[in-house]
Amino acid sequence: MAVDEQRLRQSLHARLAEAVGADEAALLMEYLPPVGWADIARQSDLDAHRAVLSSEILSLKSEMTNEFASVRSEMTSGLASVRSE
């Protein structure tokens, strides 16, 4: 956490303590995220990552299917070659 953000939190806690009391201020501060709001992922962020990951998985699946088909073909022709010898 940056020094400025830490100072801001301390200042906020002090003002809250004046307004609602120390215990309530501590309770409210516990509900703030432990990092800055810029570090919190939104649902749209997760959705975007999910879409990219799904696309990459589909691409990998396609690539693996093609590779397995190639290996299968090579094995079939290799076995045919062995049988003919």
Side-chain angles (χ1 to χ4, degrees):
M1 179 181 329
V3 175
D4 290 339
E5 189 172 336
Q6 188 174 8
R7 257 190 246 137
L8 178 65
R9 285 175 179 262
Q10 290 170 346
S11 173
L12 178 60
H13 183 269
R15 296 285 309 268
L16 279 170
E18 291 172 10
V20 297
D23 291 339
E24 290 81 2
L27 179 65
L28 287 170
M29 293 302 290
E30 286 179 24
Y31 282 100
L32 288 177
V35 294
W37 286 105
D39 298 322
I40 303 296
R42 296 179 305 243
Q43 186 63 46
S44 59
D45 298 328
L46 298 176
D47 291 341
H49 284 289
R50 183 181 300 120
V52 169
L53 185 57
S54 292
S55 174
E56 289 175 353
I57 288 171
L58 287 174
S59 175
L60 181 60
K61 180 181 176 182
S62 175
E63 188 177 327
M64 288 179 66
T65 300
N66 292 338
E67 287 296 322
F68 284 135
S70 175
V71 168
R72 206 175 293 121
S73 175
E74 289 176 23
M75 288 180 69
T76 301
S77 66
L79 280 173
S81 163
V82 168
R83 284 184 184 153
S84 68
E85 290 176 7

